[in-house]
Amino acid sequence: EVQLVESGGGMVQPGGSLRLSCAASGFDFSESDMCWLRQAPGKGTEYVAAVSAEGSTTYYRDSVRGRFTISRDNAKNTVYLQMNNLKPEDTAVYYCARVRTWRLKTSDYRGQGIQVTVSS
């Protein structure tokens, strides 16, 4: 059974930082590209960041580049999203997912999601 379990979310003031973690099981994690998605209330799902299976290639959407860092530890089957200088517009439910097609920015397996709220 595929499982993706996110942790590390919460509420933070603008300018603050959070680190999301996602523990994966049930598939070959070390052979899988991984990504983070987010969905704000009333909006569609955004493809936030992705990391290749070996960790050498990353992708970031323009609005988070320079503030967010995606990384992974294949020995721990875990992917991370370090979020710095958070802004209110980063408020969303964040999902960890397996990349289905890197070029098309699609995903298949997805976790249950975790809330991130940026507010003063």
Side-chain angles (χ1 to χ4, degrees):
E1 178 189 5
V2 172
Q3 285 195 321
L4 294 165
V5 181
E6 300 96 342
S7 61
M11 179 176 288
V12 65
Q13 292 186 342
S17 297
L18 283 174
R19 189 196 196 201
L20 303 183
S21 299
C22 172
S25 61
F27 63 100
D28 195 342
F29 180 80
S30 65
E31 296 291 324
S32 300
D33 300 333
M34 298 296 294
C35 65
W36 287 93
L37 314 172
R38 70 184 181 187
Q39 186 167 23
K43 296 188 177 181
T45 301
E46 294 183 338
Y47 195 87
V48 177
V51 60
S52 60
E54 70 280 6
S56 61
T57 302
T58 55
Y59 162 85
Y60 299 96
R61 67 180 298 109
D62 287 346
S63 60
V64 308
R65 189 175 294 115
R67 300 188 297 121
F68 290 11
T69 302
I70 188 171
S71 61
R72 64 190 296 158
D73 185 337
N74 285 349
K76 296 182 178 179
N77 278 15
T78 301
V79 61
Y80 306 97
L81 186 68
Q82 177 67 44
M83 304 184 293
N84 297 330
N85 190 22
L86 282 160
K87 304 176 180 181
E89 52 264 40
D90 295 317
T91 295
V93 177
Y94 283 71
Y95 300 90
C96 167
R98 188 178 73 166
V99 173
R100 181 176 182 179
T101 308
W102 182 276
R103 182 176 62 85
L104 299 178
K105 301 181 183 61
T106 60
S107 60
D108 46 28
Y109 303 132
R110 180 186 294 196
Q112 81 286 353
I114 194 162
Q115 179 69 46
V116 170
T117 302
V118 185
S119 175
S120 55

